[in-house]
Amino acid sequence: MRKMAFLLGICISTFSFSQSTIAIIPEPVSLKTGSGNFVLPQSISIESPSNPEMKQVIAVLKDRLAVPTGSTVTVSNASANATIRLLLNKTVDEKMGKEGYALSVTPKNIVIRANQPAGLFYGVQTLLQLFPKEIESASRVSNIVWAAPVVEISDVPRFGWRGLMFDVTRHFFTKAEVKQFIDDMVRYKYNLLHLHLTDDEGWRLEIKGLPKLTEVGAWNVKKTGYFGTFSPPTADEPRNYGGFYTQNDIKELVQYAKERFVNILPEIDVPGHSLAAVVSYPELSCTPEANTYRVRSGEVIMDWSKGAPPIALVDNTLCPANEKVYTFLDKVMTQVAQLFPFEYIHVGGDECPKNYWEKNDAIKALMQREKLKSMEEVQSYFEKRLEKIVESKGKKFMGWDEILEGGLAPSAAVMSWRGVKGGIEAAKMKHDVVMSPTTYAYLDYMQADAITEPRIYASLRLNKTYEFEPVPDGVDAQYIKGGQANLWTEQVYNMRHAQYMLWPRAFAIAESVWSPKEKKNWNHFFSKVENHFERFDVAEKKYSPAVYDPIFNVTRTADSSLRIELGKEVAGLDIYYSFDNSFPDRFYPKYTTALTPPKDAVMLKIITYKDKKQVGRMIAMPIAELRSRIEKKK
Ligand code: ACM
């Protein structure tokens, strides 16, 4: 007996019981905890309906359970004794809709119910977040008790449109990388991938009969540094950077996405942002010298000093007064409509410069003929013709909020990016709207101070992202289809950095588009984010720790020395600093009140801890930089 107790002691002490906190992102509608746990056995059985749409639901569950645990997983379609039962409701539960689910974890087994396979898929994502973080491992982890806490969860999304936009033009991302993007987004219950397929830097979609779009339009010169400031390419620099998706690639991606309950929204961005198309087929331009243009490699092509719309230094627009443009777009939209089963085609419409149109005789003649009074009305004329083309292919028409200017096409849906104003205006006119405002949802923006982040136009910290509310006050919610975050990639050169930009801010957006508004709570959310950071560490996925970076606020005191305040985005952080160029740790001075640098100091170095553990990265802020910020404020 004593020997048995001794052996048991050894067994228990070598196993880690790391599960405990429940940290589900996005927060479910209802979650009731019980007592006890369900522990995965060595041999896991799954009961699943035999439905072709269940293929990926099972594959995800099987793979994610078998690999880290080393358990065997078997699947059958009728086994009431199964470890995990996936059940489709025999009578539809109206409250669950198409994507809702109910998940029950008891000490005996796990049951997920839904009306449709999509709901079971989301139930599985939730279930996986209940297991210890080691469930994220891509290889076997020993000595873990694979326990999930007893819970009853019922859940249903707030919005049907839960989107992420991926710009695959500024930098090209391969088919395999797009699949990885899809794999990552579905874990947080996103269901729409908006692919920004064309822009000044590349045309990424094979169009049969228009070969130059991808022979010429998909390639530029590889440059490294700060996109937008690159030296203009010289003739001897190779134009071999870029790529495109063949139509077979797109079919494969659409199928891959569909199996994971994701729709792909294609965007063909016209009439602005069209340099790659213009270079491929210069006859689509109003401007004769277009035949000397090259696909952009990140050099300056716009003057933004006077605000929007920009002044174009090269004419990157399709010509609204040229019939060949509509023939071209008809051909493109025919194939786009065939390739992408989703009901919408996004036609861009943003940031279209008008300065080349203003001096063009064909545009002047068009304005006279069609009685158009402004350049906005010229663009509106273009959009209305394009709307007819898109609708003739059986698709709905969507564009960025600039399509409101000069008169909105009759059935257009609007994606509101310049704040929510355009979305409100469109919804008031009874048009469908997707909210995607820069203020909350632009994941290309810097997550912390420009001293550490790759520089881009603006900043958007995690706590601001979490405030995203897709339905503004006073708007009829029936016109708001949902919300979306956008990852533009001017400054994103590879997939690891794409992950860094997405996470954790895409956790916040996921909660804004899935969870009930009244369930959102920043402190609770951030505790879950830290749990998911640990999960990402196990999965070896990248995320940004910028949320731990201090917020610098610098002013000048009456005696004209600097006064440096260090704000915190989250509570419970301890900041330590040095002015002597050495690397602070938690045995250095702790920040408690505003700092004044010693007279000859050149650098403020900062490190952040939480509960004696380093969480932030080393920040080096030159004193000269802080001084120049004060000068700029004047
Ligand atoms: C946009 O960000 N130009 C839609």
Side-chain angles (χ1 to χ4, degrees):
M1 196 60 201
R2 281 180 54 145
K3 194 169 164 192
M4 278 259 301
F6 173 72
L7 282 176
L8 203 64
I10 289 184
C11 288
I12 289 168
S13 65
T14 56
F15 277 73
S16 152
F17 208 100
S18 71
Q19 163 277 316
S20 62
T21 45
I22 296 179
I24 297 164
I25 300 178
E27 186 66 22
V29 171
S30 152
L31 184 156
K32 294 194 183 81
T33 52
S35 60
N37 293 286
F38 170 84
V39 179
L40 277 176
Q42 254 305 301
S43 162
I44 302 166
S45 53
I46 299 173
E47 177 190 356
S48 163
S50 48
N51 176 322
E53 282 192 88
M54 289 300 294
K55 187 172 145 220
Q56 269 313 311
V57 186
I58 307 266
V60 165
L61 193 53
K62 244 178 125 168
D63 196 43
R64 299 273 307 282
L65 291 182
V67 172
T69 66
S71 300
T72 56
V73 184
T74 53
V75 184
S76 70
N77 50 29
S79 166
N81 295 327
T83 325
I84 302 175
R85 303 187 69 198
L86 305 175
L87 306 174
L88 286 174
N89 291 328
K90 294 212 169 62
T91 42
V92 170
D93 180 341
E94 296 293 342
K95 288 192 303 298
M96 276 187 190
K98 288 192 197 130
E99 299 183 299
Y101 64 92
L103 164 64
S104 167
V105 178
T106 67
K108 186 172 140 266
N109 70 356
I110 291 166
V111 180
I112 309 178
R113 281 192 308 109
N115 290 330
Q116 302 214 358
L120 295 177
F121 187 66
Y122 296 128
V124 163
Q125 301 301 342
T126 298
L127 172 64
L128 290 167
Q129 293 186 16
L130 289 172
F131 285 108
K133 63 179 189 292
E134 291 79 7
I135 204 81
E136 305 291 341
S137 175
S139 55
R140 173 114 190 239
V141 189
S142 306
N143 303 339
I144 298 285
V145 178
W146 297 101
V150 165
V151 283
E152 294 288 332
I153 292 174
S154 61
D155 204 7
V156 63
R158 182 172 169 207
F159 295 104
W161 187 299
R162 304 183 301 279
L164 280 181
M165 189 276 270
F166 195 19
D167 170 5
V168 291
T169 72
R170 272 45 182 277
H171 286 98
F172 180 63
F173 291 85
T174 63
K175 183 175 61 175
E177 288 169 329
V178 175
K179 287 183 182 176
Q180 191 189 339
F181 193 97
I182 294 170
D183 287 343
D184 290 349
M185 65 189 265
V186 297
R187 289 176 176 224
Y188 295 94
K189 305 188 176 88
Y190 285 100
N191 67 353
L192 184 122
L193 171 63
H194 171 169
L195 280 184
H196 181 73
L197 287 166
T198 71
D199 214 302
D200 299 322
E201 296 77 10
W203 183 284
R204 306 294 180 208
L205 176 65
E206 178 191 21
I207 300 291
K208 308 257 193 224
L210 294 167
K212 287 198 195 147
L213 286 174
T214 43
E215 282 166 16
V216 176
W219 305 99
N220 62 16
V221 176
K222 181 167 172 40
K223 301 264 180 178
T224 308
Y226 280 123
F227 184 99
T229 63
F230 292 147
S231 50
T234 53
D236 60 341
E237 284 182 282
R239 286 196 163 261
N240 56 9
Y241 185 60
F244 65 93
Y245 309 111
T246 65
Q247 296 207 347
N248 279 339
D249 289 337
I250 293 293
K251 285 178 195 153
E252 193 179 319
L253 283 176
V254 164
Q255 181 61 23
Y256 190 88
K258 179 168 177 258
E259 286 171 0
R260 289 153 184 82
F261 309 96
V262 168
N263 283 309
I264 300 186
L265 169 72
E267 181 188 351
I268 305 295
D269 196 354
V270 288
H273 286 280
S274 292
L275 188 60
V278 164
V279 170
S280 307
Y281 294 100
E283 62 272 26
L284 301 176
S285 172
C286 289
T287 301
E289 73 252 28
N291 60 10
T292 64
Y293 292 163
R294 312 301 296 272
V295 177
R296 186 181 183 218
S297 308
E299 66 277 21
V300 178
I301 62 163
M302 296 284 159
D303 173 3
W304 285 95
S305 62
K306 311 250 173 347
I311 311 288
L313 308 176
V314 300
D315 183 4
N316 70 336
T317 68
L318 302 184
C319 185
N322 182 349
E323 283 308 306
K324 282 188 190 143
V325 164
Y326 302 101
T327 310
F328 167 82
L329 287 171
D330 193 283
K331 202 171 214 166
V332 170
M333 293 304 167
T334 303
Q335 295 181 40
V336 170
Q338 282 162 358
L339 285 169
F340 295 92
F342 189 50
E343 59 185 322
Y344 282 95
I345 295 177
H346 195 305
V347 298
D350 57 320
E351 299 177 319
C352 179
K354 309 287 186 336
N355 52 306
Y356 279 90
W357 294 359
E358 274 161 5
K359 54 188 187 204
N360 184 270
D361 288 341
I363 296 279
K364 285 181 196 156
L366 171 76
M367 290 176 80
Q368 235 173 14
R369 195 186 77 216
E370 298 293 331
K371 304 192 177 27
L372 307 172
K373 290 184 281 305
S374 65
M375 286 304 139
E376 286 67 38
E377 289 189 15
V378 172
Q379 182 169 345
S380 171
Y381 165 86
F382 170 89
E383 303 294 354
K384 284 172 186 153
R385 285 198 62 178
L386 183 52
E387 180 194 48
K388 288 210 177 77
I389 293 173
V390 167
E391 286 185 341
S392 75
K393 313 302 169 201
K395 296 292 180 180
K396 294 183 184 165
F397 176 93
M398 175 176 278
W400 299 110
D401 57 64
E402 283 93 334
I403 64 170
L404 281 152
E405 294 165 5
L408 188 57
S411 70
V414 170
M415 191 170 268
S416 190
W417 75 280
R418 296 175 300 176
V420 292
K421 206 169 104 292
I424 294 173
E425 191 183 331
K428 291 208 161 136
M429 289 155 57
K430 301 190 185 330
H431 285 250
D432 282 340
V433 168
V434 173
M435 287 295 189
S436 187
T438 52
T439 17
Y440 303 101
Y442 263 43
L443 303 190
D444 57 322
Y445 284 7
M446 295 178 287
Q447 304 179 66
D449 198 282
I451 209 74
T452 49
E453 297 296 288
R455 240 192 296 135
I456 195 100
Y457 329 104
S459 294
L460 176 62
R461 294 190 77 119
L462 175 65
N463 58 356
K464 183 77 178 169
T465 311
Y466 193 63
E467 289 170 21
F468 178 41
E469 167 48 43
V471 184
D473 288 342
V475 167
D476 187 344
Q478 69 169 305
Y479 296 109
I480 310 296
K481 296 182 74 64
Q484 176 173 304
N486 297 332
L487 183 60
W488 301 100
T489 59
E490 285 97 323
Q491 245 23 291
V492 180
Y493 292 74
N494 61 60
M495 211 49 199
R496 292 297 285 181
H497 193 57
Q499 288 181 348
Y500 174 96
M501 296 306 282
L502 282 171
W503 316 108
R505 290 179 299 180
F507 297 152
I509 302 289
E511 206 146 299
S512 296
V513 292
W514 178 284
S515 308
K517 192 175 167 183
E518 60 281 6
K519 279 264 168 167
K520 286 179 69 184
N521 173 306
W522 166 253
N523 288 335
H524 178 53
F525 170 72
F526 189 67
S527 73
K528 295 189 296 180
V529 167
E530 292 192 303
N531 177 295
H532 284 247
F533 281 172
E534 290 180 12
R535 291 174 174 268
F536 271 48
D537 286 339
V538 175
E540 296 189 284
K541 280 195 200 152
K542 198 150 188 162
Y543 59 88
S544 170
V547 66
Y548 298 117
D549 288 0
I551 301 162
F552 292 90
N553 184 23
V554 59
T555 48
R556 229 184 246 293
T557 58
D559 69 353
S560 110
S561 34
L562 291 188
R563 184 173 186 278
I564 307 165
E565 284 175 296
L566 301 177
K568 297 172 195 170
E569 192 174 340
V570 289
L573 302 180
D574 296 317
I575 298 177
Y576 300 88
Y577 65 93
S578 78
F579 279 114
D580 60 9
N581 308 315
S582 66
F583 301 97
D585 56 25
R586 71 181 193 86
F587 300 93
Y588 271 61
K590 184 168 162 179
Y591 175 84
T592 52
T593 185
L595 304 173
T596 296
K599 188 162 163 243
D600 295 322
V602 291
M603 190 70 79
L604 167 60
K605 284 203 179 123
I606 286 165
I607 193 86
T608 309
Y609 280 69
K610 189 172 184 185
D611 303 331
K612 297 190 180 174
K613 183 174 164 251
Q614 184 190 324
V615 286
R617 51 202 168 175
M618 186 74 63
I619 310 281
M621 172 62 84
I623 303 301
E625 164 69 19
L626 293 174
R627 272 205 198 94
S628 80
R629 289 183 186 186
I630 293 194
E631 293 309 311
K632 278 192 205 125
K633 271 194 206 166
K634 276 184 184 165

